[in-house]
Amino acid sequence: MTNTASKPTVAVVGGGLAGLAAAATAAEHGLHVELFEQGETLGGRAGSFRDPQTGQLVDYCQHVAMGCCTNLADFCRRTGVADCFGRYRRLHFFAPDGTRHDFAPAGWLPAPLHLVPGLMRLRYFTLGERWDIARALWWLAREPLAGGDDETIGEWLCRNGQSARAIEQFWSVVLLSALSETVDRASLAAAKKVFVDGLLAHAQAYELLVPQLPLGEIFDRRVAAWLADRNVVIHQGTRVKQIDGDARRATAVVLPDGTRRQFDFIVVAVPWRRVCALFPESMLAAMPALRRVEGIQPAPITAVHLWFNRPITRLPHATLVGRLSQWIFEGQYLQVVISGSHGVAGREREDILAEVRRDLEAVWAEARGARLLHWRVITRPAAVFSARPGLEKIRPDQHTPVENLMLAGDWTATGWPATMEGAVRSGYLAVEAVLRSLGRNERLLVPDLPRGRLVRWMLG
Ligand SMILES: Cc1cc2nc3c(=O)[nH]c(=O)nc-3n(C[C@H](O)[C@H](O)[C@H](O)COP(=O)(O)OP(=O)(O)OC[C@H]3O[C@@H](n4cnc5c(N)ncnc54)[C@H](O)[C@@H]3O)c2cc1C
């Protein structure tokens, strides 16, 4: 083994959450880790930038997690940043007519019945529509997916008698938030996962975890310091140009200046659209599954950052139903998130801003007449992968056919949508594979929230 002080050595390529999770667990399990990140900061897509006008550290886009994100929670506990997230048990929906409807499942009822009182309080639906939604949730949970993964959730909802209004104002609202994808594109399998894991399976699954600090402070500063304390060598601003090797072994990480660094294991944790370019033909030929990831489609997310001269709402977050502005977050300034923003591409920024302001003014009196001091619109065209039918068949396993080469990244086979949770899971699974290669069968993946008897019965 190439070694430093006899520890097996691991190179992690990519300092997003997948790479950070891999680096953290590998270091904790006695491996010597070096992390290569091409950017100047860690956190990848879950990152921040310094806004030149206000001087504030601003997230490219507000990120939230949920109670069902057990591995992200474990990663944050391990690295000492769990207290950087606030937990919210009440969600605030504003109906198209501007009325507010709070959603708070009943903790005293066993899952999945805990949802019933919250659902019944969504009075912008008729009683009949609420009943139809509840019934369809039940059927979705019991859906065997016998036809494989080739149907969209939109087709399934129509087949199961959901009205256009229920689709637009309930199903789309949840799925856009969770998958950043529209119902006519998202797969039935991905939607089932969202509703089962995120709502039905456990009374705390739906709880919202919102970072109370900029993501850059959490991942680029605090987690980086934690890693450095555990002797992880972090190379920021260092792009990996290529991974050398053959069909059997990855031999080196090659940097742009030609430097070749040898490691016992290499974990590649870059986005799916960058991964194939890192390997020579001889290695790609040994990994046919990897070539297929080029078929994964992206989905866009737009964040509108607004600095007003006064707060617009006292709510820390809210969901606006039936509007361009889907989620708003009020903190050091106001942020509006538009997920699955396919329709926004190509529109002028001023035009997007004007519609967002109309949305805010329709819901909050404080927005009318508030002075806008500064604003930014940031669209990430490839924010996440699109969870379309057939996707699960092309997501590769973390352990590749090349014996010492592992993959991580939200796009690898985790069963999760493109989320921080999916990224952390992939990093844990990659390190599990490294440990297995060393003859150590240690489990790092944290189980899902426990499912009660009623949930197990519902799921058949
Ligand atoms: C706008 C937006 C909003 C989102 N909202 C949410 C949300 O609310 N909740 C949620 O859970 N998730 C959300 N996500 C998704 C979440 O950010 C991602 O799923 C997750 O951060 C992906 O982590 P990753 O490590 O797999 O990939 P990335 O974060 O993309 O990290 C990959 C890293 O690899 C580096 N890299 C690439 N090539 C090289 C190379 N050759 N050498 C060295 N380094 C390289 C990149 O610079 C990057 O830092 C959002 C994403 C976006 C973009």
Side-chain angles (χ1 to χ4, degrees), residues 13-19 36-39 43-46 61-65 238-240 269-271 274 278 301 380 383-384 409-410 418-421 423:
V13 182
L17 273 170
F36 297 86
E37 165 55 47
Q38 68 177 8
R45 277 171 276 165
C61 182
Q62 176 75 51
H63 276 54
V64 299
T238 307
R239 182 171 73 87
V240 169
V270 304
R274 305 264 172 274
L278 284 177
I301 301 180
R380 299 283 290 254
V384 294
D410 57 359
T419 50
M420 297 184 286
E421 169 71 10

